[in-house]
Amino acid sequence: AQSVTQLGSHVSVSEGALVLLRCNYSSSVPPYLFWYVQYPNQGLQLLLKYTSAATLVKGINGFEAEFKKSETSFHLTKPSAHMSDAAEYFCAVSSTNAGKSTFGDGTTLTVKP
Amino acid sequence: ETGVTQSPTHLIKTRGQQVTLRCSSQSGHNTVSWYQQALGQGPQFIFQYYREEENGRGNFPPRFSGLQFPNYSSELNVNALELDDSALYLCASSSELRDKGDYGYTFGSGTRLTVV
C-alpha cells in the first residue's frame, strides 16, 4: 500500500520568494516519486521524478526536489517564484510504473506581485 | 508529435445512464492509464491498458470498464452513473511499459463529466 500527504492545501508566496511545497509518502517498497503541475482546465504536466538515482532531482521551470528516505519526504522547491508558477501542484508515488500512481490531494500555489 | 487527445471535453449525463469517454494516445505510445479527479482532490488511478490488455486496476467497481484498440486509442465506459461519478477523467499515455518510473506519461486535458 502506498499513500501521499501534501502538507498545506494552499501556499501563498510573493514573487521572487522561495517556493516550498511539502510532500510525505508512505510505501512498502522503494518508491518512485513524482511532482506534477496542473493549470486550470488542463491535464497534468510532469515537473520532475525520482527513480532511485540521485536524491536531488532537478526538473523543469527551475523546480527541484530532494528525496529523504529517513523522513519519507520529497519536498518541491524553487528559489524564486514567478507569477506564472501559480497553479495546482500534485505529488505522486508509485511502486511499479508511473502509470499506476497514487496522488496527493494537491497544493494550490498563489504568487503575489 | 501529437499529444494525448480526449473527447468530449465536457458532458452532462443523468443518473443511471451510461457514458463512454475516448482517448487518443500520443503517437507511438502503447500504454494508457485512466484517472478520476474529483473536485478539489488528486487523481485516482482507475486502470491501465498495455497492448490491448488490462494491466492493473484501482479501487473502482466493475461498472467502470475500459478498452484499448489496436491503434492504442482507448475508451472508458461507466455504467449506471451515480452523482459521485461527477469528476474530471484524465487519460495518460506512455511509449513503454516497464516496472520502473524512469519514463514519462503524457496527460490529456481531460473530460469533465457532470452527473445530474
Side-chain angles (χ1 to χ4, degrees):
Chain A
Q2 53 197 24
S3 65
V4 171
T5 301
Q6 292 185 238
L7 301 175
S9 58
H10 291 85
V11 170
S12 181
V13 301
S14 296
E15 191 173 20
L18 171 71
V19 175
L20 171 61
L21 305 183
R22 300 177 187 273
C23 172
N24 287 88
Y25 70 91
S26 172
S27 179
S28 57
V29 298
Y32 304 113
L33 294 158
F34 310 88
W35 274 100
Y36 292 88
V37 62
Q38 185 177 36
Y39 297 98
N41 301 315
Q42 293 188 26
L44 303 174
Q45 181 184 9
L46 180 67
L47 285 175
L48 48 79
K49 56 190 175 186
Y50 167 76
T51 57
S52 74
T55 57
L56 182 62
V57 181
K58 295 187 182 296
I60 62 172
N61 301 339
F63 285 95
E64 63 181 39
E66 185 173 7
F67 172 68
K68 292 187 177 180
K69 184 178 178 180
S70 61
E71 299 177 8
T72 60
S73 69
F74 191 57
H75 301 331
L76 182 71
T77 61
K78 182 174 181 178
S80 177
H82 295 164
M83 297 296 292
S84 60
D85 294 328
E88 187 85 11
Y89 291 80
F90 292 95
C91 181
V93 63
S94 177
S95 59
T96 55
N97 69 65
K100 299 179 185 176
S101 292
T102 298
F103 284 78
D105 284 337
T107 297
T108 301
L109 175 65
T110 301
V111 182
K112 299 175 292 185
Chain B
E1 61 183 13
T2 59
V4 176
T5 304
Q6 294 188 242
S7 62
T9 54
H10 297 80
L11 77 164
I12 300 174
K13 289 286 189 177
T14 302
R15 188 172 49 183
Q17 285 188 315
Q18 179 266 344
V19 69
T20 297
L21 310 182
R22 295 178 174 81
C23 172
S24 294
S25 306
Q26 183 166 320
S27 178
H29 285 190
N30 57 19
T31 307
V32 172
S33 293
W34 284 92
Y35 288 86
Q36 180 196 66
Q37 185 179 15
L39 197 61
Q41 298 181 21
Q44 289 192 57
F45 173 68
I46 303 175
F47 41 57
Q48 181 180 77
Y49 279 83
Y50 172 62
R51 295 187 176 182
E52 303 179 58
E53 297 289 330
E54 187 177 290
N55 182 60
R57 187 181 182 91
N59 188 27
F60 280 81
R63 60 190 184 84
F64 284 78
S65 62
L67 282 173
Q68 187 179 31
F69 300 99
N71 66 356
Y72 302 133
S73 65
S74 179
E75 286 184 353
L76 164 65
N77 299 288
V78 187
N79 294 321
L81 284 166
E82 302 177 358
L83 297 179
D84 285 349
D85 296 333
S86 295
L88 180 68
Y89 288 85
L90 295 166
C91 166
S93 72
S94 181
S95 60
E96 189 67 40
L97 177 71
R98 304 182 210 134
D99 283 341
K100 297 178 70 174
D102 58 348
Y103 60 100
Y105 273 72
T106 302
F107 280 81
S109 296
T111 294
R112 175 74 63 186
L113 172 65
T114 302
V115 182
V116 297

